[in-house]
Amino acid sequence: MEGAYVEVRVRPIWSGAISFGLVTIPIKVVPATESHDISFRQIHTTDGGRVRYRKVCELDDRQLRQDEIVRGYETAMGTLIPVSDEDLDNLPLPTAKAIEIVSFVPAASIDPIQIGASYYLAATENVAAKPYELLRQALERSSKVAVAKFAMRDRERLGLLRVKDDVIVLHALRWPDEIRSSAQIVVPDVTVTDDEVDAAVRLAETLTGIDIGELRDEYRDALEEVLTAKTGTGAMPAPMEEAPSASAEVVDLMAMLEKSVQDAKATRGEPATVHPLPSKKKTAAKKTDSPAAAAAKTTAGKKTTSKRKPRSA
């Protein structure tokens, strides 16, 4: 617990303070996540040489060192205006060096689509221990999260503060106007039966309780096997069987749901009777019914249904 206040083993990417009313808590910001992606380089197909990107000035065609480069803003007329670190540090912005808490809200009121990168906040010195602990317990006891504003990497951001394992976590949030409206997505207006919904719920209940901590990046594992084989220290993994292609063909939805439930139970070692999917039948020439017979069939085959309500724009 004390390590959260005094010692930071990961290199901080930002330092400042949490502004909590008139209380100031000096903190350091540390990335809470890390990438395990396998990185690739670009190579020349002819001779295998490494392809690199070089920073070259357009005026004198000279390759530049990093210390010779500063950021610049391009105006509508094409003029480049240099902007230094000092210019940004001196912005008249209260959040330039502070995470300013503006509100406490229920966690459920935050749409997950807004959440971006995550950071751990560590108190920078012993004097910050008490206000840090005060805020941490206030967040826990209120069962709420704090919404804050802060400036990092050349822009002001919206953030969310919560507690994880006795450490205050900062989640970057997208601004509300950065979230596209879901109304632009066309949702098919279809009807499903109550039995189909019940079967889908049974499948969801069967898949409940899986430990997410046990999940692995199987793509990365397979890629590592391929790279090991290419270095001559392992065997090339066998290719997977080709998955069936997606089709818009009408299928027996109930049969697929029931088989999915049985397969899930079998995978978890639970007793299950796997029912094979019905085989596809060749389409035979349909006999045309009279209008009266067709209407009678429609009425007889109609079930209680659950229809999606129309979306409001």
Side-chain angles (χ1 to χ4, degrees), residues 210-263:
I210 294 177
D211 184 0
I212 297 179
E214 296 180 358
L215 300 181
R216 289 184 57 84
D217 184 348
E218 296 183 27
Y219 177 86
R220 179 173 175 267
D221 291 342
L223 183 56
E224 286 181 341
E225 289 186 46
V226 171
L227 296 176
T228 299
K230 283 185 171 289
T231 59
T233 57
M236 187 69 74
M240 290 183 59
E241 295 182 5
E242 185 175 352
S245 58
S247 172
E249 181 182 0
V250 176
V251 297
D252 188 336
L253 191 57
M254 277 295 295
M256 293 188 70
L257 288 169
E258 292 293 348
K259 185 176 186 304
S260 297
V261 170
Q262 300 301 330
D263 288 350

Side-chain angles (χ1 to χ4, degrees), residues 175-195:
W175 294 97
D177 61 0
E178 293 179 321
I179 307 300
R180 293 176 176 172
S181 171
S182 61
Q184 61 185 302
I185 306 300
V186 178
V187 179
D189 188 6
V190 296
T191 299
V192 295
T193 67
D194 288 340
D195 288 342

Side-chain angles (χ1 to χ4, degrees), residues 100-306:
E100 181 183 2
I101 295 177
V102 295
S103 179
F104 285 80
V105 300
S109 67
I110 302 296
D111 189 336
I113 201 172
Q114 284 187 263
I115 299 176
S118 302
Y119 308 92
Y120 290 134
L121 303 184
T124 58
E125 51 195 37
N126 288 331
V127 71
K130 189 169 184 177
Y132 184 101
E133 179 66 11
L134 177 68
L135 176 59
R136 188 189 70 80
Q137 290 199 28
L139 287 167
E140 286 189 330
R141 189 173 300 182
S142 68
S143 299
K144 293 184 178 180
V145 296
V147 175
K149 294 171 67 177
F150 65 103
M152 183 189 294
R153 293 174 179 169
D154 305 345
R155 57 172 294 193
E156 187 175 53
R157 301 168 184 266
L158 196 63
L160 176 152
L161 299 178
R162 70 179 183 92
V163 176
K164 171 182 169 58
D165 300 331
D166 294 335
V167 175
I168 298 176
V169 182
L170 169 65
H171 298 283
L173 296 180
R174 294 177 177 86
W175 294 97
D177 61 0
E178 293 179 321
I179 307 300
R180 293 176 176 172
S181 171
S182 61
Q184 61 185 302
I185 306 300
V186 178
V187 179
D189 188 6
V190 296
T191 299
V192 295
T193 67
D194 288 340
D195 288 342
E196 289 170 335
V197 175
D198 290 341
V201 171
R202 286 197 299 274
L203 176 57
E205 291 173 347
T206 304
L207 296 175
T208 300
I210 294 177
D211 184 0
I212 297 179
E214 296 180 358
L215 300 181
R216 289 184 57 84
D217 184 348
E218 296 183 27
Y219 177 86
R220 179 173 175 267
D221 291 342
L223 183 56
E224 286 181 341
E225 289 186 46
V226 171
L227 296 176
T228 299
K230 283 185 171 289
T231 59
T233 57
M236 187 69 74
M240 290 183 59
E241 295 182 5
E242 185 175 352
S245 58
S247 172
E249 181 182 0
V250 176
V251 297
D252 188 336
L253 191 57
M254 277 295 295
M256 293 188 70
L257 288 169
E258 292 293 348
K259 185 176 186 304
S260 297
V261 170
Q262 300 301 330
D263 288 350
K265 288 182 177 180
T267 300
R268 298 169 64 170
E270 299 177 11
T273 303
V274 179
H275 303 289
L277 289 175
S279 58
K280 296 181 181 178
K281 298 180 180 180
K282 293 183 179 179
T283 303
K286 292 183 179 181
K287 183 178 179 181
T288 304
D289 292 326
S290 65
K297 284 185 177 182
T298 302
T299 303
K302 196 170 183 180
K303 298 181 179 180
T304 303
T305 59
S306 173

Side-chain angles (χ1 to χ4, degrees), residues 29-42:
V29 177
V30 176
T33 60
E34 58 185 3
S35 174
H36 291 165
D37 290 347
I38 295 175
S39 299
F40 292 103
R41 305 296 185 190
Q42 291 185 322

Side-chain angles (χ1 to χ4, degrees), residues 41-44 49-53:
R41 305 296 185 190
Q42 291 185 322
I43 59 175
H44 188 191
R50 173 81 180 275
V51 178
R52 298 178 182 270
Y53 292 99

